[in-house]
Amino acid sequence: MSNVTFPDIRTFFLAALIAVLTGLGAAQAADEFDLSPQQPGRLHAVKNDAAVAAIPREFKFVTPGKFTIAVSPGGPPLATYATDAKTVVGADPDYAYAIADSLGLTLEIVPVAWIDWPLGLTSGKYDAVISNVGVTEQRKEKFDFSTYRQGLHGIFVKSDSSIASIKEPRDAAGLRIIVGAGTNQERILVKWSEKDVAAGLKPIELQYYDDEAASLLALRSGRADVIVQPHAQLVFIAARDKNIKRVGTLSAGWPDRSDVAITTRKGSGLADALTIATNGLIKDGTYARILDHWHLSEEALPASETNPPGLPKY
């Protein structure tokens, strides 16, 4: 009898599918992003004695000597399957390697579907999740957080657009903007439009499409003026297609900052050590170099915090 389980099969086909879908993009963006399994440009960090000392003596890692983390390979540049369709690469894995180095541990990456990480973390399958998890007040009821990036939406236009900058609601008045239905960016832009109307300006026209290809076609053909999606996604698309450009970013927690964080079990005691490790990486420049390597410098935080205020329940 075969010892391949259903989850193994699901993971295999997911890896193959992502590899097929991103293979062309990876080739076209090869001059911008390295998606090879070897990752020769990966940065490493030195051991941080203060971070190691902050790990509670009673904390037990899933595997002794290893820092086991879950990552959802949702797409480049944050995390995706490499060209071998099995190695997980990207900004989040690179940051995870640097954290493991800081703790004097070997990194073990467990690829998971996004929907599965909460149960896997609470059941002890891995020590932490490093996978673009945003800090929310609801999640803080069950998990601890050590922040490492800003949660940003990107504001992009055609490369030849006359729109140079969008920083506040009045800059977007009267524009046709593509957003995903039911997303956080839609919620924010509805509020922006209300502010514009209250100020006597034209409302924002929100447009919705079924998929990424249709959205990008609408932007390129002039049927829309702007697209707003998670920043990292658009950074990769801009590098791949070379026909859109960034004109602004938008906090996922507008008007407040929204943070992305390493996620650990509530009360495990590991969060403070991870925060110290991140601040060490920020101080010595490793953190900035990792983000720059993946073209995500705009998402840098000035400092890591343990369990900061999170997005409220909407």
Side-chain angles (χ1 to χ4, degrees), residues 24 27 75 82 88 120 132 134 155 189 245 267:
L24 178 59
V88 181
N132 201 41
I155 305 174
L189 288 171
K245 64 181 181 181

Side-chain angles (χ1 to χ4, degrees), residues 6-308:
F6 175 75
D8 293 329
I9 295 173
R10 183 179 67 174
T11 300
F12 171 81
F13 281 109
L14 176 61
L17 177 61
I18 290 176
V20 170
L21 293 178
T22 63
L24 178 59
Q28 292 174 321
D31 57 334
E32 303 280 348
F33 298 100
D34 174 21
L35 300 183
S36 70
Q38 294 82 12
Q39 292 295 297
R42 175 174 290 137
L43 294 164
H44 292 279
V46 299
K47 187 176 179 180
N48 185 326
D49 292 334
V52 174
I55 300 172
R57 289 186 178 182
E58 65 274 14
F59 183 83
K60 302 296 183 184
F61 288 95
V62 171
T63 302
K66 291 187 177 183
F67 182 43
T68 303
I69 64 108
V71 175
S72 177
L78 292 180
T80 189
Y81 284 103
T83 51
D84 65 355
K86 62 181 181 180
T87 305
V88 181
V89 299
D92 280 347
D94 274 10
Y95 170 70
Y97 273 103
I99 290 292
D101 289 342
S102 299
L103 300 179
L105 301 170
T106 301
L107 184 69
E108 181 77 21
I109 294 178
V110 180
V112 299
W114 173 263
I115 196 172
D116 293 336
W117 72 255
L119 179 59
L121 183 58
T122 55
S123 64
K125 289 184 177 180
Y126 21 86
D127 303 308
V129 176
I130 301 181
S131 194
N132 201 41
V133 179
V135 182
T136 70
E137 288 302 309
Q138 185 171 9
R139 286 175 180 158
K140 282 168 63 179
E141 295 172 2
K142 295 183 178 180
F143 305 103
D144 286 330
F145 293 95
S146 303
T147 60
Y148 69 98
R149 280 203 339 267
Q150 292 187 65
L152 293 182
H153 300 310
I155 305 174
F156 281 63
V157 298
K158 288 196 304 179
S159 295
D160 61 356
S161 172
S162 61
I163 300 170
S165 177
I166 298 177
K167 295 181 178 179
E168 56 184 338
R170 64 173 54 251
D171 298 333
L175 296 180
R176 300 165 297 171
I177 300 181
I178 299 169
V179 294
T183 61
N184 195 38
Q185 56 263 35
E186 178 194 29
R187 178 189 62 79
I188 294 169
L189 288 171
V190 166
K191 291 185 179 296
W192 273 32
S193 187
E194 291 171 352
K195 283 182 172 290
D196 285 338
V197 171
L201 302 173
K202 291 182 178 180
I204 296 170
E205 179 188 321
L206 298 183
Q207 295 186 5
Y208 306 92
Y209 295 91
D210 292 335
D211 54 41
E212 180 183 282
S215 297
L216 294 173
L217 178 60
L219 185 66
R220 291 195 302 267
S221 66
R223 286 183 282 123
D225 304 304
V226 182
I227 185 169
V228 178
Q229 285 183 196
H231 176 253
Q233 293 177 8
L234 290 175
V235 165
F236 184 79
I237 291 170
R240 181 192 67 194
D241 297 348
K242 303 191 184 304
N243 56 16
I244 63 173
K245 64 181 181 181
R246 179 177 51 232
V247 293
T249 57
L250 175 64
S251 170
W254 183 90
D256 301 315
R257 193 180 77 194
S258 172
D259 291 334
V260 171
I262 308 176
T263 310
T264 50
R265 291 185 292 280
K266 190 75 176 177
S268 70
L270 191 59
D272 285 338
L274 299 175
T275 298
I276 293 171
T278 298
N279 282 323
L281 296 173
I282 292 172
K283 185 176 180 180
D284 71 15
T286 303
Y287 170 82
R289 291 194 295 272
I290 291 172
L291 290 184
D292 182 65
H293 179 72
W294 293 99
H295 296 237
L296 296 175
S297 295
E298 289 77 15
E299 301 189 7
L301 286 174
S304 176
E305 299 178 81
T306 299
N307 290 329

